[in-house]
Amino acid sequence: MAKIFRKNKILLYLGLFLSISASAQVVNIEGEWGTKDIIGYSNVFEFSLIKEKQPNKGRSVIFSLDGTFSCGEPMICPNGCSVYTSGSYTMVDNDHVRMTVENVRFVGFYCGNLRTQQENKSKDLGVFYIYKEGDAVRLIPSNGDLQGDRDKMLYTQMLDSFGKEWKSYEYVWDETTADQGEEIVKDCKDRRKQRDLSNYKIVFSKNESYGDIFLLRENENYHYVVYNAVSKKVSLAYPKK
């Protein structure tokens, strides 16, 4: 059974790796995209773009050939307040883009003092990793390290997969008074003596409503540690036999 699990785990990681590799293709961001958030104005961690096949009726961003972009939303009501941003972008390489907002405009009767607070303020948004998902593109903050970006996406998918399959694991809980990742994991003991945790590294984590999931890497092996913030307990995740 353990051999079957290891084989299935290898196939899972291979599938995730191949999906990341398939997504790591050159993405041409020129043209019009639908977006939920106004680039350079909305306070979000990343931007999700959908390629527009028909004239857009919602928020959109246009990346022009001359290295400029404009983002905005339709004016539904003249008495409301619509926001528009514009700026420049530079392709750092095939997988990364740097964006700078050079202008923020507000149109509408109820924009109030937003005009004087925000307009004409230049802001370097930094470098974003361009990650393709079907017809969509995610612009994810990056330091420009391509392998690091791909690893992060792989780890994200691994934790998402675990979140859907957590019931297929068993848990042996240890109490902990720690509240920081490294300290929490140190309080986690391998009660079944099935894992070598002498040389692990926390490579990623995900916050859930009940606590945190930590992804540990030990050489070429990966382990999941679950922290229950309500009961202040932590456990390794053991695949059910």
Side-chain angles (χ1 to χ4, degrees):
M1 182 64 70
K3 290 183 178 179
I4 294 176
F5 168 71
R6 284 196 294 269
K7 180 179 179 182
N8 290 338
K9 184 169 71 170
I10 291 172
L11 291 175
L12 170 63
Y13 296 159
L14 179 60
L16 291 175
F17 175 78
L18 291 176
S19 69
I20 294 291
S21 298
S23 299
Q25 54 185 293
V26 178
V27 180
N28 183 4
I29 65 172
E30 293 169 357
E32 183 173 4
W33 302 77
T35 177
K36 294 181 181 179
D37 305 288
I38 302 295
I39 294 179
Y41 178 72
S42 299
N43 185 23
V44 294
F45 177 73
E46 65 177 66
F47 299 99
S48 180
L49 312 179
I50 303 292
K51 192 66 174 179
E52 289 298 329
K53 298 179 181 179
Q54 297 179 350
N56 184 48
K57 296 182 180 179
R59 291 178 170 178
S60 65
V61 56
I62 299 175
F63 291 94
S64 302
L65 290 171
D66 62 0
T68 62
F69 74 86
S70 58
C71 186
E73 54 193 349
M75 185 182 297
I76 299 176
C77 175
N79 289 331
C81 183
S82 297
V83 59
Y84 303 87
T85 63
S86 60
S88 59
Y89 72 95
T90 303
M91 296 300 300
V92 178
D93 53 35
N94 290 333
D95 304 280
H96 297 91
V97 59
R98 176 180 289 276
M99 295 188 293
T100 301
V101 172
E102 297 168 357
N103 184 266
V104 180
R105 274 192 313 123
F106 297 91
V107 178
F109 182 78
Y110 286 105
C111 292
N113 62 355
L114 289 175
R115 292 187 177 88
T116 57
Q117 292 179 1
Q118 297 286 341
E119 284 189 339
N120 301 317
K121 287 190 176 182
S122 179
K123 181 180 180 181
D124 183 1
L125 301 180
V127 176
F128 292 81
Y129 172 48
I130 306 171
Y131 178 69
K132 190 175 187 301
E133 290 182 321
D135 293 332
V137 164
R138 291 169 61 185
L139 300 181
I140 305 168
S142 168
N143 61 6
D145 177 8
L146 179 58
Q147 188 57 53
D149 291 330
R150 290 177 177 173
D151 286 346
K152 183 165 63 174
M153 295 309 302
L154 174 62
Y155 298 151
T156 297
Q157 290 189 13
M158 289 176 67
L159 287 186
D160 288 345
S161 178
F162 176 81
K164 296 174 183 177
E165 301 173 359
W166 66 271
K167 290 184 179 180
S168 64
Y169 292 81
E170 294 179 337
Y171 306 90
V172 182
W173 300 98
D174 288 297
E175 294 185 356
T176 178
T177 58
D179 56 7
Q180 299 298 319
E182 291 285 351
E183 298 303 318
I184 290 173
V185 173
K186 284 182 180 179
D187 285 340
C188 182
K189 311 301 180 184
D190 180 16
R191 298 296 182 182
R192 297 186 176 180
K193 308 299 181 182
Q194 297 176 2
R195 306 285 186 270
D196 180 8
L197 299 182
S198 60
N199 189 32
Y200 71 84
K201 177 183 179 182
I202 299 176
V203 293
F204 213 67
S205 63
K206 182 179 181 181
N207 180 263
E208 297 288 358
S209 59
Y210 56 82
D212 299 311
I213 304 172
F214 299 97
L215 178 62
L216 276 57
R217 180 171 183 173
E218 187 270 320
N219 294 325
E220 296 305 316
N221 297 313
Y222 291 92
H223 312 298
Y224 299 100
V225 168
V226 177
Y227 167 63
N228 189 317
V230 177
S231 60
K232 302 290 286 185
K233 293 183 178 181
V234 62
S235 173
L236 272 165
Y238 298 94
K240 291 182 179 179
K241 297 182 180 180

